[in-house]
Structures are given as structure tokens and as C-alpha cells.
Amino acid sequence: MSFIQNTNRKENHMSTHTTGEKPGKGAYTCKACGQVVVLDNTNDVLPPCPKCSKTTFKK
Ligand SMILES: [Zn+2]
């Protein structure tokens, strides 16, 4: 008897960042509206979304 389980999906290569963090250089996409915020300095603090003021982004 064998069981095939397919619960180990690998879709979490996107990391989440929140306003106030210093996640480093890169483009961060607002999870709420899709607005892209670009940080070009490693010491830049991730701001609230300039479009919808939400605070959660994915990279
Ligand atoms: Zn937004």
C-alpha cells in the first residue's frame, strides 16, 4: 500500500518585508495594490506604500 502526498509545495521564494525594515537594495511590491517601491541604498528604510499607505511588501 502506498500513499502519495503532495503537500510540500515550494512557492515561498518571495520574502515579505514590512515598513520600517531596512531590507536592502531592491524593488519591493506592495501586497495590497502592486505599487513598486525601489530602495537604492542599503540603509534606506522601507516606507509605507506611496499609493495606498499599506505597510506590507514582497520582494
Ligand atoms: Zn499599496
Side-chain angles (χ1 to χ4, degrees), residues 4 6 9 16-17 21 23 27-28 30 33 41 46 48 51:
I4 298 173
N6 192 22
R9 304 184 70 186
T16 299
H17 298 282
E21 291 182 6
Y28 300 88
C30 175
C33 73
N41 190 305
L46 195 60
K51 195 171 176 182

Side-chain angles (χ1 to χ4, degrees), residues 30 33 35 49 52:
C30 175
C33 73
Q35 174 71 40
C49 176
C52 73

Side-chain angles (χ1 to χ4, degrees), residues 29-37 48-57:
T29 306
C30 175
K31 282 191 170 183
C33 73
Q35 174 71 40
V36 176
V37 174
C49 176
K51 195 171 176 182
C52 73
S53 297
K54 291 293 197 316
T55 57
T56 313
F57 298 82

